[in-house]
Every structure is written in C-alpha cells, then in structure tokens.
Amino acid sequence: MNIFKVLPVAPEQASERAFGYDLIFWTITILAVVFTILVFALVLALAVRYRRGSSADRRYPVYHSNGIEAVLTLVPLVLGLGIFAWSSADFVKFRQRPKESMEIFVIGKQWMWHLQHMNGIRENNELHIPVDTPITMTMISQDVIHAMYIPAFRVQYHVVPGRYTEMSFTATKPGRYKMLCAMHCGTQHSEMVGFVYVMSKSDYARWIEGGGNRYEPRAATMVAAGEQVWNRKACGNCHAGMDTVRGPTLNGIFNAQRRLTDGSTAKAAPDYLRESILLPWLRLTKGYETTMPAYKGQLTEEEVLQLIEYIKSNSNTSTSGSPQPYSAPGARTLPTPTHPENATNRANRYGSAGVTQSEEGAMNAR
Amino acid sequence: MSAILERTAAPDPQVKKNYLNADHTLASWLLTTDHKRIAVLYLIGVTVMFFLGSLAAAFVRFELTSPRGQILTHETYNKMFTAHGVIMIFFFLIPAVPAVLGNFLIPMMIGARDLAFPRLNLASWYVWTISAVIVLTGLIMGGVDTGWTFYTPLSSLYSNTQVSLVLVGLFLSGFSSIMTGVNFIATIHKMRAPGMTWFKLPLYVWSHYATSVIIILGTPVVAITLFLVVLERTFRIGIFSPELGGDPVLFQHLFWFYSHPAVYIMVLPAMGVISEVITCFSRRQIFGYRFVAMSSMAIAAIGFLVWGHHMYVSSQSVLQGLIFSLLSFLVAVPSAIKVFNWSLTMWRGSVQFSTPMIYALAFIGLFVIGGLTGLYLAAIDTDVHLTGTYFIVAHFHYVMVGGAILAFLGGIHFWWPKMFGKMYNEFWGRLSAMVIFLGFNFTFFPQFILGYLGMPRRYHVYYFAPEWQFYHVASSLGSTILGIGFLMPAFYLTASLLRKDNVAPANPWGAKGLEWENASSPPVTLNFESQPIVTENPYNYDPIEDTNKVRREAGLPEIPREDPDKEVHH
Ligand SMILES: [Cu+2]
Ligand SMILES: [Cu+2]
C-alpha cells in the first residue's frame, strides 16, 4: 500500500498548470528549507560557541559592516525577485483565457454550486468535463462571495455577487476531484462541496448523450439500487447518520427493537420496515410525529425491497464506509435542508458512471 | 548606558515606596495616570482576553479532530472561530506589546517621568475596556459568524448574528489604539532625556515609533470601514452590497489597507523586544544598529503598499496583482535583515540562556519559518492555490503566535522583575519556553501540509476528505501541548508575586538601559529619583568582562582583551 495515499503530502496533479505550479512550490520549499537550516545553524553555532564563560576569542567585535548588510539585503532581494518573475509569468498564463475553450457557467449561492453547460445540461455540486479540453468558467454569485477552488488543478478564483469573474483550466487526468468553496460564506460553508469528474472524451460524449446528470447507470446490486432510490427520494434529508429532529437514523436499525409512541416496541424486521416506508403513520417511532410522507403509491414493491436491502447494509458502527447521507450535527438548527444528493453518494455512483474499468484501474495504481 | 547626576544611596533594605505600593485603594488604580499602573491594568486585561481567545481556539481544534465535527453545530463552530480571531487580534495581539510593555517602558527607556499625555493614556484604557465589554457581549450573547475579516456582503446583509454590536465595539477599540499611538509619538519626540539622541534610542523605542505611525495612519481607515458596514446593515445604505449598488471588493481593499499593516502593528513591537533581549543576553552591542532601526521604518512605509496580496484571486486586475506581489517581496527584505542582525549579535558576545533569551531564540526560529512561508503567498501564482486554505492559517500563526506572542512572553519575562520587583522560577521559565516552542510547531506545522492539500480554512467538516484527519488530529494534539505551555507562565508568574523570598534587585540581568540602571525594581512613581542624562550608546555591554567573571570564578584562565596597539581592520 502506498503511504502517500493514506497520508498524502501533496495534492494530485490533474491539470495542465499543476506541474508548473508544483515546480515553483517545491523550489520555494527548497529555498525555505535551506534558509531555515542556515539561520538555525547560525544561531546554534553562535550561541554555543559564544556561550558565557567559553574560551572563544572575543576580541575585535564587529558592530556594523556595510559589506555584510549589503549581502543580507541583496541575496534575499535577488532570490525574491527571481521567484517573483517566475511566478508572475505563470500567473499571467493562468489568467489568460484560452483561444478556444468550452464554457461552463457557474453560479455560487449559499451553499451550493450550480453549473450549466453550453448545451443546457445543468448540474448541482458536480461538474462533468472532458479531459484535455480547455475549460473557461464564467462565474457569478447570487448572494455572498464564494471561491471556486479545485485543489487538484491548483486553481482558485472568487465568485463575487454583482460581477462576472472568469477562470480557465485544462484537466489532464480522468478522475474525480474535489471542488470546494474556499471563501467563508456562512453557516454551511464547509458543505459547499462537490466534485469535478474528468472523463475521457468518449465517456464524456456518452454522458452528454445520456442527458447529463439525469443519466443513472444500471445498478450492479440490490444495495446499490436501493441507494439510488434513497437518493432519488431524498430520504437522507430526514434520516442522517444520527437521530435528528427531522427523523431517526436508520443506521443499524435492521432487526433492532424500536420503541414506539404508544409505549410498545416493535422489531424492525422487513415487514415493519416496509410498513414504515409505505404507511409510516401506522406505527410512529417514539419522539417523532407524522412528518414522514407516506410513500404508498410512489414506490414500486421492487424499490421498497431494494430500500430495505440498502437500510440493512448500513450498520451502526461503520462511519466511513457508510453510504448514509451525512447530515452535520448542525442539521438540528438548519433552516433549509441540505442538498439531497450528498457528496458521498455521488462519489459512489461515479464508479459506474463516468470512468471506464481500465481508467479506474489506472487511478488505483497511482 | 548613562551617567546619573547624583546617584542616590543603595536601596533601603526596608520596603521602599514604589509605584505599586504607593497607594493601595482601588480608586488609586482606576484613576491612575501613572503609565506603569496603566500598563499593569492592560496586562490584566489582555491576559483575560488571551485565555478567552484560547478557549475558543480549543473548541475549534476539538471539533476538527473528526471529519464530521464533534459537538458543535455549524453555526456555533463559525461563531467560535470568529470569536477566536476577533478576541486574539483586536484585544490581544494589537494591544499586548504596545499597551503593556510599551506603556511601561517607553518613558523609562527614554528617561521621562511619564508619557506625554497621561490622562489620554488612562482614557485609552477605559475605551479599550468598554469596547472589550461590548465586543464580548456581542460574542457571547448571540455571537458572530462572519470570521474576523467581516467580508461583505456576508457581514453586511446576510449574517443574522450580532455583527453590528461587535463592529461598534471594534470601532471604539480603534480609538484606544490611536490614543496610544499619538501618545507614544509625542513622547518619543518631546520627552527624551538630555543626551538621548535619536540614534541613542533603544531599538525597542524605534520599533514603537514605527508602530505608532502605522497605528495613527491605518486605524482610522479600518474603523470607518467597519462603521460603514454597520451603516449598510442598519440603514441599508449601499456601500458594499451589489444589491444596494455597492461594491463588495471595495470592502476588502479598505479592510486590508489597515489589516496588512496591522500585522506590523503586532510584529514590530515584538521585534523591538527581541532586540533588547538578544543584546542583553549576548552582552553585546546590537549588530547593525542603524540597519535594524531603519528596517523598522522601511517596514512601516512599504507595509502600507502591499495590502492587495490578500486579494490576488478576488477579481483585481492582473497588473494590480503583479504590482502588489512585487511590493510584497520588497517588504520581506527588511525582516530578513533583522533576523540576520539579531543572529550576528551573538557573534563574539557572551551568551546566557536565561528564560527571556530562550524565548527570543524560539522567536527567531518561528519567525524565520513564518517569514519564509510568506514567500509562497507573496508569489502571486503559488498564492492562487494556497489562499483561503490552512496554509494561510499556519503562516500567520507562525508570524503572530510564533512572532508576536513569543516576543511578548519573552518581554514579560525580561521585564517582570522590573515591573513587579519579583524573580520568577527560572527552571519553570525555561521549561515553558521550550514546551511552547515544541507545542507550537506540533500544532501549526501540519497545517501547512493541510493547506497545500487543499483544506480550506473555516471548514467545520471535511467528511469528503478523510485523509486530512491525521493532520488535524496531530495539530489538535500539538495544541494541547501548546495550551499547557501557555498555562505554565500564568501559574509560576502569579506564584512569584505571592512569594516573599524572591525580591528582585534593581538590575537582575546586568542589563543596560535607563530602566535598569537608573531606576529601582519596581520603579518609584515618577520612574527616576533624579533626571538621567545619557552619554553612552545603547547596548554598551562588555562581553569579555562578562565571560571573564565566570572564568575567574571557575578558576579558568581569562580570555584576552583587545591589544590597543594593534591596528584592526574590519
Ligand atoms: Cu461558498
Ligand atoms: Cu498582508
């Protein structure tokens, strides 16, 4: 196993600009380390050699020396100007709009990214783009200032209300990359998070053909199918990783004893679960009211079975592997529900959506 | 450093009258115009604020140990980091060194009996205290969730928290800064003792002079800016919100026009402390006095021209960005000069590792890392990926905590015997300096990596990137050590006040300077028993005699003195 996967020290390089960026980054790092060592060594050497009572010769102390000061001024100045010139050149390139590029329109709002393709396909908190194709984002905010930040591409630019800003990049590696908001924008700032899916050109063409994000891949298993239903019906809005005011967690409830409002208990066997989904008000879980919609007539029996399998697959203990949509502890006080399709679920779905088997293999090998 | 006209007899063994025991009533403290007493009042105030700010930080670090947060809601988390930032910046870092040490020392160092405007000085403390109460009320009753930067339009139209109250408090606190700044400038210009020419001033005074210039030029700008946000919030006057016809980026320009120089308000006085401590414990004249003094002024001047480096990706033009980047590189040079000059001060000196010196050396180490990581952020291209991430957080903590707070603690330990006439326990002092140094690096170094990996600051949860957790846990563990390090001085310094057997002599370190040589510990109410007259250069130490004293006691041969006949070139 690759230790850098578990404990990374550098973000992935997935854009045209990333390598050049890292070159400057690590050059500065080397300079910084050299200087740090230099100063530490100087301080330690002087402190030890001239410690009180040592026999070191202290005659002819130097109290000022224009020569030394000139070196101390010029060396940092010249190195600094060198870095300035180098990094400025790269920045100018970054800020130039490529001659031909695919346009993506970005709207930032508390706390979600809306993205729209030229052909009208819309996405929320996720963006599908083809590899090796220059992309230009035209961005604006609907409310406060946000910042579109894709670490693997080494790009970031503010998304400001009242004016358009622009940012261009070219992704070079298929895969899934974090797309974050890097400017504090209020309560759920840290959940203004999504993913960029970089696809091979042929996969991208297929994705467009399938109607963009309406396209749902055929699920491989009952559990995966259940998860799709779960996401489509947004059960996660009320059922999170823990009990909230909106609904009890369903993690680990399978076959557990449930306490009901009338004081009795019931075992959460498949029949009970089916009833709880289709006609939830018949038996209410203790501490809750009749807020869950009845899904009778809205779900096929097949879908209910799939949902039950999905609920079954979520144990209480595991958190990282749990596909339960996450709801922050903050959910208790949040006025608006979080986006029903959360990042984790999208992440899982991508495995079958965009990346072909071979590419996935290549990504794992890294 | 100076000859005194008539030196009074050796201090009376009986308890002498000094500024502390001159009067014991509460009114004598609350209505005092004695700069030393006001310094003590400020010391109590900033210490309380420091621990409140640390408490908020503790919550933040605890939350981040898990990718999904621990006990707080998003809302409360946001209020916590805002409280941490607001308290630490406006009520600890900005006033700490100037209002405590500066207040106490500037008149003493230049041979004056008080500041130029003693009542203005007391007024500044009242304004500070009232504004602290207002801000704390806002932060506790309701809280603020915008971050200490108060970016519009989040702060002006979108936040439903106590923004207005807190901003009014901060607006007021600006006046307290300005009063102190004006006072220092007038005092340094007009009240120097006979013979104390500009280039005989201790470097500490120079650094405060530079700081005061920044304070009186910059603070009005930020005060007005914050006030405009209040106006927009309450009367919906369109200044910063596009919905009302304003410009949100304008706020950033105005805010950073002050808040970048504010970094120097926090760091320059700290640098002044280091110059005093390093020279005393190296028993040597500072290396390159004029360069160190003038670099403070250069920093103050260029520091006003670099604010745009906070806004490389906030829609300013490419040309603007490049100019700000260039200027940011220039402002780094004077700081580099200082670091090397401090280091070279030990050259052919006689170095003692007392507590203040260990703090000063730790300061140099951390300040170097803080300064060098500034290169990534001054360089416009590398900043694109790092701005708004934990890299920034790590960088400014290295400068602010590693720089300003370590120097403040170093200064407190250095002048503690002078301020209170008591010696603290040297063992605990050295230990605390080392624990803080270790804990600090442990806390903030992992945050550089987090930032490079792309962790944005002010994120409460990061469940989409569990690989970040290791660094957060490491950082939180480190912060526990750091917290212990900060608590230690609180205990042993307080203990030193209560004990009776640790009375400090007038000059326990054998330091040069009017406050050490011409005043008792603690000083009398009017500082000096007679008017000091300055004839020597500052830092006129003798490292050879200092070392030979130790060698004689140990029965070792003495090291040689300069041969007066030999011509020396250097
Ligand atoms: Cu945002
Ligand atoms: Cu700055």
Side-chain angles (χ1 to χ4, degrees):
Chain A
M1 190 153 141
N2 188 345
I3 171 91
F4 290 118
K5 269 224 137 130
V6 191
L7 274 189
V9 291
E12 262 184 287
Q13 289 179 353
S15 77
E16 220 167 60
R17 141 185 178 75
F19 177 77
Y21 178 94
D22 283 357
L23 208 60
I24 309 185
F25 183 93
W26 289 104
T27 306
I28 300 179
T29 305
I30 290 169
L31 275 178
V33 170
V34 168
F35 263 88
T36 309
I37 293 177
L38 203 82
V39 174
F40 277 51
L42 182 71
V43 166
L44 282 182
L46 290 172
V48 171
R49 182 167 158 77
Y50 295 105
R51 71 192 178 279
R52 192 178 194 207
S54 79
S55 62
D57 189 359
R58 288 166 170 90
R59 283 174 299 171
Y60 319 121
V62 186
Y63 293 138
H64 47 78
S65 149
N66 289 345
I68 294 182
E69 302 287 355
V71 172
L72 295 184
T73 313
L74 289 178
V75 171
L77 190 65
V78 169
L79 288 175
L81 290 181
I83 299 172
F84 162 74
W86 184 6
S87 107
S88 298
D90 269 29
F91 181 77
V92 170
K93 226 184 295 163
F94 166 56
R95 293 305 300 155
Q96 252 157 21
R97 191 192 173 114
K99 266 190 228 75
E100 257 175 46
S101 61
M102 197 177 120
E103 278 219 64
I104 303 283
F105 303 93
V106 178
I107 294 173
K109 67 169 213 188
Q110 285 179 325
W111 293 277
M112 192 189 288
W113 294 111
H114 285 301
L115 302 108
Q116 193 158 358
H117 296 251
M118 270 310 248
N119 61 11
I121 292 182
R122 289 192 207 159
E123 308 189 68
N124 284 337
N125 281 351
E126 56 182 45
L127 171 65
H128 291 78
I129 51 169
V131 74
D132 292 331
T133 311
I135 309 280
T136 298
M137 288 179 157
T138 302
M139 312 185 286
I140 192 161
S141 164
Q142 207 171 294
D143 36 50
V144 303
I145 300 177
H146 304 275
M148 171 56 85
Y149 178 35
I150 309 171
F153 297 172
R154 311 289 187 279
V155 297
Q156 178 182 164
Y157 215 78
H158 284 189
V159 180
V160 184
R163 72 172 68 162
Y164 293 111
T165 56
E166 225 179 68
M167 177 169 90
S168 305
F169 53 83
T170 305
T172 52
K173 215 184 249 175
R176 182 174 70 99
Y177 306 103
K178 294 174 203 92
M179 174 174 80
L180 311 170
C181 175
M183 170 52 70
H184 178 54
C185 56
T187 312
Q188 293 181 59
H189 168 52
S190 60
E191 300 208 66
M192 192 163 160
V193 164
F195 288 96
V196 180
Y197 298 102
V198 180
M199 309 161 105
S200 70
K201 288 186 175 159
S202 58
D203 277 344
Y204 181 73
R206 264 201 287 141
W207 180 81
I208 291 284
E209 234 168 80
N213 61 350
R214 297 265 66 87
Y215 169 72
E216 283 220 337
R218 240 193 66 226
T221 62
M222 282 288 276
V223 173
E227 189 189 343
Q228 280 174 8
V229 182
W230 176 279
N231 288 335
R232 208 166 53 235
K233 294 288 179 196
C235 312
N237 270 5
C238 303
H239 297 293
M242 63 184 77
D243 292 342
T244 67
V245 280
R246 289 203 227 125
T249 180
L250 302 187
N251 280 0
I253 72 160
F254 186 70
N255 273 347
Q257 288 296 331
R258 306 300 294 167
R259 303 217 284 141
L260 306 177
T261 30
D262 61 10
S264 67
T265 59
K267 189 175 168 198
D271 272 331
Y272 168 84
L273 292 177
R274 179 174 173 279
E275 182 200 283
S276 297
I277 295 169
L278 297 178
L279 297 165
W281 307 347
L282 286 186
R283 286 189 276 180
L284 287 178
T285 309
K286 192 168 162 73
Y288 292 94
E289 288 167 17
T290 56
T291 48
M292 174 162 165
Y295 286 93
K296 195 169 168 75
Q298 297 192 32
L299 291 171
T300 63
E301 285 299 340
E302 188 192 359
E303 285 170 329
V304 175
L305 273 174
Q306 290 165 341
L307 275 175
I308 293 174
E309 281 312 304
Y310 175 67
I311 292 171
K312 220 160 130 181
S313 74
N314 292 336
S315 75
N316 225 352
T317 44
S318 95
T319 42
S320 60
S322 160
Q324 274 289 20
Y326 171 71
S327 162
R332 274 174 205 284
T333 54
L334 298 181
T336 47
T338 44
H339 189 52
E341 301 189 340
N342 79 24
T344 338
N345 282 314
R346 266 176 266 122
N348 294 342
R349 200 169 78 212
Y350 183 58
S352 43
V355 181
T356 58
Q357 239 24 35
S358 63
E359 274 164 358
E360 208 162 29
M363 276 157 63
N364 289 340
R366 278 203 306 275
Chain B
M1 163 168 194
S2 66
I4 194 165
L5 276 184
E6 35 176 319
R7 205 176 267 280
T8 33
D12 199 88
Q14 234 56 46
V15 184
K16 270 183 47 177
K17 277 274 176 225
N18 60 48
Y19 83 100
L20 288 173
N21 62 14
D23 202 335
H24 288 286
T25 61
L26 187 63
S28 76
W29 279 93
L30 293 182
L31 298 176
T32 181
T33 51
D34 181 350
H35 66 103
K36 301 183 290 302
R37 284 194 161 205
I38 296 172
V40 174
L41 293 177
Y42 263 119
L43 176 62
I44 297 167
V46 299
T47 308
V48 170
M49 294 309 263
F50 176 76
F51 282 105
L52 285 177
S54 305
L55 187 70
F59 273 103
V60 169
R61 282 305 341 151
F62 177 59
E63 283 301 295
L64 290 171
T65 52
S66 151
R68 285 152 193 253
Q70 296 280 12
I71 49 174
L72 302 183
T73 62
H74 286 338
E75 184 89 33
T76 319
Y77 177 84
N78 293 349
K79 289 174 180 172
M80 278 297 168
F81 69 67
T82 305
H84 170 67
V86 167
I87 292 176
M88 288 302 206
I89 301 232
F90 295 102
F91 294 97
F92 180 75
L93 288 167
I94 288 179
V97 181
V100 179
L101 294 172
N103 245 333
F104 193 94
L105 292 168
I106 285 180
M108 303 213 62
M109 283 184 163
I110 65 173
R113 310 199 136 197
D114 205 320
L115 285 171
F117 311 114
R119 272 173 293 192
L120 188 67
N121 196 17
L122 181 64
S124 94
W125 180 77
Y126 273 102
V127 172
W128 185 85
T129 307
I130 292 167
S131 64
V133 170
I134 294 177
V135 168
L136 283 181
T137 309
L139 291 178
I140 294 166
M141 318 289 237
V144 172
D145 67 349
T146 60
W148 77 275
T149 46
F150 296 99
Y151 268 27
T152 54
L154 178 63
S155 62
S156 60
L157 292 190
Y158 285 85
S159 174
N160 295 321
T161 52
Q162 292 292 349
V163 177
S164 297
L165 186 60
V166 168
L167 288 184
V168 168
L170 295 180
F171 177 74
L172 265 185
S173 85
F175 284 94
S176 137
S177 284
I178 295 170
M179 289 172 187
T180 305
V182 169
N183 220 339
F184 284 180
I185 291 182
T187 309
I188 296 170
H189 268 279
K190 288 291 170 203
M191 300 185 58
R192 283 171 286 130
M196 177 67 91
T197 58
W198 281 93
F199 284 109
K200 285 201 172 95
L201 283 177
L203 288 165
Y204 183 78
V205 179
W206 266 111
S207 70
H208 267 85
Y209 186 73
T211 309
S212 304
V213 171
I214 303 178
I215 288 178
I216 60 175
L217 292 180
T219 314
V221 178
V222 78
I224 293 295
T225 309
L226 298 181
F227 198 66
L228 290 178
V229 174
V230 178
L231 289 187
E232 184 167 282
R233 262 184 91 81
T234 21
F235 302 110
R236 298 182 68 84
I237 301 171
I239 302 158
F240 302 123
S241 294
E243 289 146 66
L244 306 174
D247 180 349
V249 181
L250 175 64
F251 173 83
Q252 297 172 32
H253 280 291
L254 295 173
F255 181 81
W256 290 115
F257 179 78
Y258 164 80
S259 293
H260 182 81
V263 172
Y264 299 118
I265 295 181
M266 307 171 211
V267 159
L268 278 174
M271 292 171 154
V273 171
I274 300 303
S275 296
E276 301 301 312
V277 171
I278 290 256
T279 47
C280 171
F281 294 99
S282 304
R283 287 289 185 270
R284 239 205 60 157
Q285 159 81 276
I286 189 122
F287 189 90
Y289 174 93
R290 275 168 197 247
F291 278 88
V292 178
M294 285 306 119
S295 63
S296 291
M297 298 310 284
I299 287 175
I302 311 174
F304 266 111
L305 306 174
V306 301
W307 77 90
H309 63 206
H310 297 266
M311 304 166 59
Y312 288 153
V313 299
S314 64
S315 83
Q316 69 185 2
S317 76
V318 172
L319 181 64
Q320 252 178 313
L322 296 186
I323 293 170
F324 280 125
S325 176
L326 179 65
L327 290 165
S328 303
F329 276 101
L330 295 186
V331 82
V333 173
S335 299
I337 292 180
K338 281 184 192 264
V339 166
F340 281 106
N341 281 291
W342 289 322
S343 310
L344 288 174
T345 299
M346 291 186 286
W347 183 21
R348 298 188 180 155
S350 176
V351 179
Q352 301 165 43
F353 299 98
S354 305
T355 305
M357 184 64 165
I358 298 181
Y359 270 108
L361 295 179
F363 166 95
I364 293 184
L366 299 182
F367 185 72
V368 163
I369 298 177
L372 286 169
T373 50
L375 293 180
Y376 299 83
L377 308 171
I380 188 162
D381 194 62
T382 30
D383 182 68
V384 166
H385 169 70
L386 299 173
T387 188
T389 70
Y390 263 79
F391 197 96
I392 303 279
V393 176
H395 162 72
F396 71 69
H397 279 88
Y398 265 88
V399 177
M400 309 277 69
V401 184
I405 298 187
L406 259 75
F408 175 68
L409 286 174
I412 287 289
H413 282 85
F414 186 47
W415 284 291
W416 188 261
K418 181 56 61 183
M419 294 177 87
F420 297 105
K422 292 293 181 76
M423 299 304 288
Y424 50 84
N425 184 309
E426 181 69 14
F427 168 80
W428 285 105
R430 292 181 196 184
L431 188 68
S432 76
M434 289 186 270
V435 170
I436 289 174
F437 182 76
L438 280 181
F440 177 85
N441 282 299
F442 200 169
T443 308
F444 290 104
F445 198 82
Q447 297 186 4
F448 282 123
I449 304 175
L450 274 174
Y452 182 40
L453 290 177
M455 165 95 190
R457 67 195 283 202
R458 295 168 172 171
Y459 263 31
H460 180 208
V461 293
Y462 51 96
Y463 50 83
F464 49 88
E467 71 271 19
W468 292 342
Q469 189 178 12
F470 174 85
Y471 298 108
H472 274 303
V473 172
S475 179
S476 298
L477 284 178
S479 67
T480 315
I481 300 176
L482 185 60
I484 294 171
F486 283 140
L487 280 174
M488 285 163 60
F491 284 108
Y492 64 77
L493 288 180
T494 313
S496 80
L497 296 181
L498 304 177
R499 289 210 338 248
K500 296 263 179 287
D501 57 343
N502 55 343
V503 175
N507 190 357
W509 316 116
K512 297 278 174 179
L514 296 178
E515 83 275 27
W516 293 112
E517 293 174 292
N518 291 17
S520 49
S521 292
V524 295
T525 299
L526 290 176
N527 297 346
F528 305 101
E529 267 138 47
S530 57
Q531 173 64 57
I533 292 182
V534 182
T535 53
E536 289 177 351
N537 282 326
Y539 316 119
N540 199 4
Y541 292 101
D542 183 351
I544 297 186
E545 177 48 30
D546 184 68
T547 267
N548 277 340
K549 211 166 81 202
V550 179
R551 292 179 72 82
R552 277 195 297 271
E553 278 160 21
L556 294 167
E558 299 193 5
I559 57 168
R561 286 214 157 260
E562 252 161 280
D563 180 349
D565 301 334
K566 216 151 134 207
E567 264 287 304
V568 201
H569 304 273
H570 43 241

